[in-house]
């Protein structure tokens, strides 16, 4: 099997909807697909066996949360987020940009985030430690997590966005 490929297998002429097979290093995803969210490498109330039994093909985890806790060293020791959560299928990770952008306000650690053209300065909600998340660091985090599908660093433009 190729490590990654995308093949359209059906099209609807009227609506232009399509179905496809997305082949990844950890398995095939028939699209469209439901991707349960395992924010911190765990889908609440379901274990990997139960996810498979309900037809899940892929799980989405959050780079920001896993970066802060348990941290990249822990995930790396397990061999990636799939092994950490005992999931044998494909995984998707988001960039973390959404989370840091929407932590703009204040909490007990003071100002949470400052967005710049180069990345975002933020304080961890876990322990107040300071971080600077760049597009390059986001890709590095997702690479260490070992996701099959990774997201580019995003900067949501919500109504409260200011420089």
């Amino acid at each position: 099997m190729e490590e990654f490929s995308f093949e359209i297998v059906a099209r609807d002429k009227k609506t232009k909807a399509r179905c496809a097979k997305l082949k990844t290093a950890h398995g095939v995803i028939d699209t469209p697909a439901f991707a349960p969210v395992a924010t911190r490498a765990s889908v609440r109330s379901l274990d990997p066996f139960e996810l498979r039994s309900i037809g899940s093909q892929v799980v989405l985890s959050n780079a920001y949360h896993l970066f802060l806790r348990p941290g990249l060293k822990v995930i790396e020791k397990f061999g990636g987020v799939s092994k950490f959560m005992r999931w044998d299928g494909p995984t998707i990770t988001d960039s973390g940009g959404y989370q840091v952008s929407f932590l703009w306000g204040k909490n007990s650690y003071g100002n949470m985030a400052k967005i710049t053209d180069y990345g975002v300065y933020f304080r961890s909600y876990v322990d107040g430690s300071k971080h600077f998340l760049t597009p390059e660091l986001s890709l590095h985090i997702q690479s260490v997590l070992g996701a099959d599908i990774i997201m580019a660093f995003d900067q949501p433009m919500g109504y409260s966005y200011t420089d």
Side-chain angles (χ1 to χ4, degrees):
M1 173 169 83
E2 296 175 351
E3 190 161 315
F4 183 88
S5 68
F6 180 81
E7 175 190 359
I8 296 173
V9 295
R11 295 178 192 259
D12 184 291
K13 292 178 184 175
K14 185 176 180 182
T15 65
K16 299 188 182 194
R18 60 190 186 171
C19 294
K21 287 195 176 292
L22 177 61
K23 293 181 182 177
T24 75
H26 294 100
V28 176
I29 305 166
D30 294 310
T31 70
F34 170 67
V37 177
T39 300
R40 294 178 181 96
S42 175
V43 177
R44 293 181 191 215
S45 78
L46 296 175
D47 66 28
F49 175 79
E50 292 167 318
L51 288 173
R52 283 287 185 199
S53 73
I54 62 171
S56 296
Q57 303 171 74
V58 60
V59 173
L60 184 142
S61 289
N62 185 279
Y64 166 81
H65 289 290
L66 294 171
F67 170 67
L68 294 177
R69 184 173 43 198
L72 295 183
K73 288 181 182 178
V74 171
I75 299 289
E76 197 167 34
K77 282 182 184 178
F78 276 86
V81 71
S82 289
K83 291 181 180 177
F84 179 74
M85 65 186 289
R86 296 181 21 203
W87 169 254
D88 65 354
T91 56
I92 302 170
T93 50
D94 71 359
S95 71
Y98 176 87
Q99 287 72 26
V100 294
S101 294
F102 283 96
L103 294 176
W104 187 267
K106 293 185 176 185
N107 74 0
S108 60
Y109 295 113
N111 288 329
M112 288 291 287
K114 169 127 177 69
I115 298 170
T116 74
D117 288 339
Y118 304 101
V120 60
Y121 292 94
F122 70 96
R123 286 185 176 269
S124 166
Y125 72 95
V126 175
D127 62 5
S129 58
K130 295 178 184 179
H131 302 275
F132 184 57
L133 185 59
T134 64
E136 295 84 2
L137 179 56
S138 173
L139 291 176
H140 171 74
I141 292 166
Q142 293 177 82
S143 175
V144 170
L145 295 174
D148 293 284
I149 301 169
I150 62 174
M151 300 294 163
F153 192 59
D154 54 337
Q155 181 178 336
M157 302 298 284
Y159 66 90
S160 65
Y161 177 80
T162 58
D163 274 338

